[in-house]
Amino acid sequence: MLDKIGIAKRIAQEIRDGYYINLGIGIPTLVANYIPDNLNIVLQSENGLLGIGPFPKEQDVDADLINAGKQTISMLNGSSLFSSAESFAMIRGGHVDLTILGAMEVSENGDIANWKIPGKMVKGMGGAMDLVASADNIIVAMQHKSRSGASKLLKECTLPITGINCVNKIVTDMAVLDVLSEGGFKLLERAPGVSVQEIKDSTEGTLIVEGEIPEMKID
Amino acid sequence: MINKVVKNATEAVQDIPNNATLMLGGFGLCGIPENCISALVELGVKGLTCISNNAGVDDFGIGLMLKTRQVKKMISSYVGENAEFERQLLSGELEVDLIPQGSLAERVRAGGAGIPAFFTPAGYGTEVAEGKETREFEGKMYLLESWLRADFSLVKAWKGDTAGNLIYKGTARNFNPMMATAGKITVAEVEELVPAGELDPNQIHTPGIYVQRIFQGEGYEKRIEQRTVTP
């Protein structure tokens, strides 16, 4: 089984040179720490920045420079600043190459639920609905099962959905899976020490297993 | 040049009536019109509809206007981080309309640009699409979203001049430029107000035509929600 850092490290392997990337809050934010140094990529913050850098030194903290999680950040050389309308224009316009976000549930046809739990205070969807409806390349970081052991990879989402037919790939604590356009979770890799049978038992939606399933390689 | 300068926030917001619809710039607590919010609390105007990406925190930003029960309805994309907000919402004192962030930004932009509605993919197939017209374009489904406009827009900029031209700093720009265009009366508060001619016209983010009132703000607290540093 992978911990959160393991999931972040495995997702980082999906990043290619030249990508513009939007990282969601939580595990996706951690991915930034494991992107190989030899890749030139640009991180987008949907409040209005391309070129997110590391957290600033204490003396460089600027209240006018935050990311979408409202954390203080720095800017890298070559950064640009713009309005939130411009930011979502570049998202909807398909200019962002990769979107990585968390989920509470994903269905076998690529629907995602990650904004609302009935009976709990609804905080809002923020930019999640715009991102999932617009991006061509979406990777979801999530736990395979709930704390009570129920699968979160389902035939159909039970929670209110954020977007439909949009997830391409999922990295969980147990596995890497593609969501096929015709429906179904195709198993690509197993987490270290996790068997195909355990993944089958933990996946409620249709799981497609073809041939030998290799174990993930994580440094 | 037309002089847009008013003395302070009190003068800038004095004629905002009960039940007005306001837009307030800012993302979280970044780039919010701090002086105007304080003046509204002092003015005690009630029944406000506030269009703003977030609703502040308990003791800062729009949270201050929630505490004094001045807000009837919030139109926002994300309203966490605020216990008083949650209490008023659950008790039914406060109405909330939650909108995807990009749709909110574009609806405000459309309001200022004279575009009454537009199609967006955000929210298609979700509860956001309920009751809305949908249409297919080149094999993909979209839903119709309408413009947003306000009686007053309250925006915050870094620098401004007496003609109402504005320059923002960092990610404090966020919703401010669109909201500046979508208010019948737009009030801009700035950290540094200079005479017309001192700002480089090449660098202006919001042209003065959109701004009816501008004043030099004071005592900016610029509170930080998540202070994250590299040791």
Side-chain angles (χ1 to χ4, degrees):
Chain A
M1 299 273 267
L2 297 180
D3 58 8
K4 288 179 180 179
I5 288 172
I7 295 174
K9 284 181 171 174
R10 179 60 192 80
I11 291 177
Q13 296 172 13
E14 300 294 318
I15 290 170
R16 300 289 172 265
D17 195 41
Y19 270 9
Y20 288 87
I21 305 169
N22 182 290
L23 300 178
I25 293 163
I27 298 174
T29 304
L30 296 175
V31 173
N33 300 334
Y34 305 104
I35 298 170
D37 289 337
N38 61 334
L39 300 185
N40 290 302
I41 58 100
V42 178
L43 297 179
Q44 201 243 19
S45 189
E46 62 261 28
N47 47 330
L49 166 65
L50 278 169
I52 305 173
F55 295 141
K57 297 276 188 194
E58 181 67 44
Q59 65 272 20
D60 297 328
V61 166
D62 180 352
D64 292 329
L65 204 55
I66 61 170
N67 65 16
K70 286 137 193 162
Q71 296 171 310
T72 48
I73 49 165
S74 65
M75 288 188 287
L76 298 176
N77 288 342
S79 285
S80 55
L81 292 156
F82 36 85
S83 73
S84 301
E86 175 96 46
S87 178
F88 282 94
M90 65 182 70
I91 288 167
R92 280 190 308 268
H95 305 280
V96 176
D97 300 295
L98 175 61
T99 296
I100 302 171
L101 72 178
M104 299 191 271
E105 294 176 349
V106 174
S107 78
E108 64 185 42
N109 64 346
D111 297 354
I112 180 170
N114 69 353
W115 78 284
K116 183 177 181 180
I117 301 173
K120 287 204 177 171
M121 163 74 184
V122 182
K123 292 186 170 182
M125 66 292 280
M129 285 191 182
D130 308 272
L131 281 160
V132 300
S134 309
D136 286 332
N137 190 7
I138 297 178
I139 301 179
V140 165
M142 66 189 293
Q143 305 298 324
H144 211 103
K145 295 183 288 185
S146 69
R147 286 204 185 90
S148 62
S151 177
K152 295 176 157 197
L153 278 61
L154 305 170
K155 286 196 184 307
E156 283 181 36
C157 292
T158 64
L159 295 169
I161 60 175
T162 311
I164 59 170
N165 303 324
C166 56
V167 176
N168 304 87
K169 188 172 282 244
I170 306 170
V171 178
T172 75
D173 50 344
M174 302 182 78
V176 180
L177 312 102
D178 270 346
V179 182
L180 301 181
S181 54
E182 64 270 28
F185 300 108
K186 182 161 199 274
L187 184 58
L188 301 178
E189 297 174 22
R190 300 172 289 114
V194 175
S195 69
V196 170
Q197 189 58 47
E198 284 172 287
I199 295 165
K200 276 184 184 161
D201 294 344
S202 306
T203 306
E204 189 232 66
T206 306
L207 186 72
I208 297 148
V209 183
E210 287 172 358
E212 277 295 298
I213 304 299
E215 192 168 283
M216 295 179 209
K217 291 188 179 64
I218 290 170
D219 303 327
Chain B
M1 278 289 162
I2 305 164
N3 189 339
K4 312 279 178 78
V5 179
V6 296
K7 199 168 64 189
N8 53 29
T10 307
E11 186 183 334
V13 306
Q14 60 176 348
D15 57 345
I16 294 182
N18 287 336
N19 305 309
T21 295
L22 309 182
M23 288 185 184
L24 297 99
F27 178 87
L29 300 179
C30 182
I32 60 172
E34 292 185 23
N35 284 207
C36 282
I37 290 170
S38 298
L40 282 169
V41 170
E42 211 171 295
L43 185 68
V45 58
K46 303 262 190 238
L48 300 172
T49 294
C50 292
I51 302 169
S52 173
N53 189 56
N54 310 95
V57 295
D58 275 323
D59 58 349
F60 202 57
I62 292 175
L64 296 171
M65 295 159 62
L66 290 164
K67 200 178 270 181
T68 47
R69 316 276 177 87
Q70 291 175 271
V71 182
K72 180 179 68 182
K73 182 175 182 181
M74 283 299 312
I75 299 176
S76 304
S77 85
Y78 189 82
V79 294
E81 349 294 351
N82 192 324
E84 177 61 17
F85 183 99
E86 185 168 351
R87 192 198 63 71
Q88 290 186 21
L89 181 62
L90 295 174
S91 71
E93 293 164 64
L94 181 68
E95 281 175 68
V96 179
D97 193 359
L98 292 169
I99 298 174
Q101 194 177 336
S103 298
L104 178 61
E106 191 64 14
R107 288 176 69 181
V108 174
R109 198 198 69 80
I115 304 286
F118 56 91
F119 283 97
T120 178
Y124 178 76
T126 77
E127 63 187 63
V128 167
E130 284 168 17
K132 289 176 184 155
E133 186 182 334
T134 58
R135 197 181 295 183
E136 184 181 327
F137 293 92
E138 300 187 16
K140 183 167 171 170
M141 293 303 294
Y142 297 80
L143 59 98
L144 191 66
E145 291 281 11
S146 60
W147 62 8
L148 286 169
R149 293 181 293 173
D151 300 317
F152 289 83
S153 282
L154 311 176
V155 303
K156 155 79 192 341
W158 178 40
K159 292 181 180 177
D161 69 19
T162 52
N165 297 304
L166 304 176
I167 297 175
Y168 308 95
K169 174 171 158 270
T171 55
R173 191 179 320 186
N174 56 63
F175 283 80
N176 284 297
M178 299 81 81
M179 289 185 170
T181 69
K184 283 193 200 110
I185 293 180
T186 290
V187 174
E189 55 174 274
V190 297
E191 289 176 56
E192 191 182 345
L193 181 63
V194 300
E198 285 199 12
L199 298 178
D200 178 356
N202 289 299
Q203 305 298 326
I204 301 296
H205 295 135
T206 291
I209 190 171
Y210 298 116
V211 175
Q212 280 68 47
R213 301 172 190 172
I214 188 167
F215 66 92
Q216 164 82 59
E218 58 184 25
Y220 282 105
E221 196 174 328
K222 292 199 184 182
R223 207 180 284 190
I224 291 171
E225 278 180 84
Q226 309 278 343
R227 177 180 288 270
T228 42
V229 297
T230 300

